[in-house]
Amino acid sequence: MTYVGIDVGGTTIKAGVVDEGGNILSYESIPTPTYQPHDVTFGYILNLIHEVAALSGISMSEIKAVGIGSPGKIDYSNGSVVYNNNLGWIDFHISEMLHEALSVPVVLENDADAAALGEVVAGSAKGAGSAMIITLGTGVGTGYVINEKIFRSCEFGHMVIRSGGRKCTCGRTGCFEAYCSATGLIRSTLEAGIKEPDGTVNGKTVFDAADNGNETAKKIIEEYTSDLACGIVNLINGLQPEVISLGGGIAKQEEKLLVPLRKKVYAEMYKGLTQPRIVACTLGYKAGLIGAAMSARQ
């Protein structure tokens, strides 16, 4: 069986035909149209679906379902994006519109949840009965998957790990996201006056400085991994996932980040619980597309 997965991003909309095992048979992307009338955006997406079907050599009659991963507030009862400020979508009934045009089932999921499912079906958490996927990007995105089913409304980025700490964009103080997102790490790096040779700062800057012997950078990484471990331990103690997979730019440090992180997590988690595997995500941009397609399989 084959499915179409659509991953809506702020910059591009990615689409592909995906088989039952999560293998991408064809792929194409287009720039994301922003603040366009819904019918215009819908037309772009519909054309993209037909294009990837043609590229795969599969007729539309062989597509069993379409899955969409989208950012924004989603109404799962009717498959609509209620609101997305970055794209200008308000009450966009994308599922209904695609179903009417293609006469196949259409499933709409949150983009982070779709990416988490992709990692479970075909990536770093493949075969796990339960997995928490944590994306360390502009914010901290979390997706929890149990037996290849998405646990929806998973906003653990806004649990507090430092009472009375930094102000978070959500309005609270001390959130996991405020410290452990790439944005949070960059803030710590800037506050310490650490920069790249060209004066810029990114999520990799502090790791490069530590590699070059900068003691302040080493301290920042120590604090960062401690905060990250705190949040992860809270998730392990409450949910007991078999796998924790880290994605986003910070996770590209892989073992440089994961070795000290595992040590702290395993030392702090509730005694007697099974230690989860803590790994880096492997699918990159493919995760959301595969996960969206696989959400339509269920």
Side-chain angles (χ1 to χ4, degrees):
M1 293 186 180
T2 54
Y3 307 84
V4 169
I6 301 168
D7 180 23
V8 179
T11 305
T12 61
I13 296 177
K14 296 171 280 291
V17 174
V18 180
D19 69 15
E20 190 77 22
N23 301 298
I24 298 175
L25 306 181
S26 65
Y27 168 82
E28 191 55 82
S29 67
I30 59 171
T32 303
T34 57
Y35 290 91
Q36 296 290 321
H38 291 172
D39 59 340
V40 173
T41 302
F42 168 74
Y44 284 126
I45 294 173
L46 184 62
N47 288 340
L48 188 59
I49 291 171
H50 284 289
E51 186 173 348
V52 292
L55 286 172
S56 70
I58 293 172
S59 67
M60 288 305 303
S61 63
E62 296 176 86
I63 301 296
K64 300 302 179 184
V66 173
I68 309 166
S70 173
K73 172 62 178 175
I74 292 172
D75 185 339
Y76 296 106
S77 67
N78 62 17
S80 67
V81 179
V82 178
Y83 180 67
N84 184 292
N85 60 301
N86 292 323
L87 303 181
W89 291 4
I90 300 175
D91 291 328
F92 188 5
H93 291 262
I94 182 65
S95 296
E96 179 183 350
M97 294 170 75
L98 283 176
H99 174 67
E100 289 180 356
L102 300 172
S103 299
V104 298
V106 179
V107 175
L108 178 66
E109 295 287 354
N110 170 268
D111 56 343
D113 287 341
L117 181 58
E119 288 289 340
V120 170
V121 172
S124 59
K126 186 174 182 177
S130 60
M132 174 64 70
I133 312 301
I134 304 173
T135 304
L136 308 172
T138 303
V140 171
T142 54
Y144 190 44
V145 178
I146 306 171
N147 296 325
E148 297 193 359
K149 302 285 186 181
I150 293 170
F151 179 84
R152 289 170 170 165
S153 301
C154 190
E155 285 289 348
F156 292 114
H158 296 288
M159 63 181 173
V160 171
I161 61 169
R162 287 198 197 182
S163 180
R166 283 179 180 169
K167 185 72 175 291
C168 182
T169 55
C170 75
R172 303 183 76 193
T173 58
C175 286
F176 192 24
E177 178 170 299
Y179 289 95
C180 296
S181 62
T183 305
L185 181 57
I186 289 170
R187 175 176 172 177
S188 298
T189 305
L190 283 168
E191 289 173 350
I194 298 171
K195 299 179 181 179
E196 296 287 347
D198 64 359
T200 62
V201 177
N202 56 51
K204 186 172 177 283
T205 301
V206 72
F207 291 95
D208 290 340
D211 287 343
N212 290 326
N214 187 308
E215 294 301 321
T216 301
K218 293 177 183 179
K219 182 179 178 182
I220 291 172
I221 293 171
E222 174 70 20
E223 291 177 349
Y224 178 80
T225 54
S226 293
D227 287 331
L228 186 55
C230 177
I232 288 174
V233 168
N234 290 342
L235 297 175
I236 293 170
N237 289 351
L239 299 172
Q240 300 178 44
E242 293 177 21
V243 177
I244 301 274
S245 292
L246 302 181
I250 306 300
K252 291 180 181 179
Q253 297 299 316
E254 296 188 339
E255 294 305 302
K256 196 183 298 184
L257 170 70
L258 295 175
V259 169
L261 179 64
R262 291 187 189 108
K263 183 177 180 180
K264 292 178 180 182
V265 168
Y266 295 154
E268 295 177 19
M269 60 182 280
Y270 193 79
K271 303 300 182 274
L273 297 181
T274 302
Q275 294 181 348
R277 289 194 296 117
I278 302 176
V279 298
C281 293
T282 58
L283 293 179
Y285 76 89
K286 299 176 183 177
L289 190 160
I290 294 171
M294 294 298 92
S295 72
R297 181 188 62 176
Q298 300 176 54

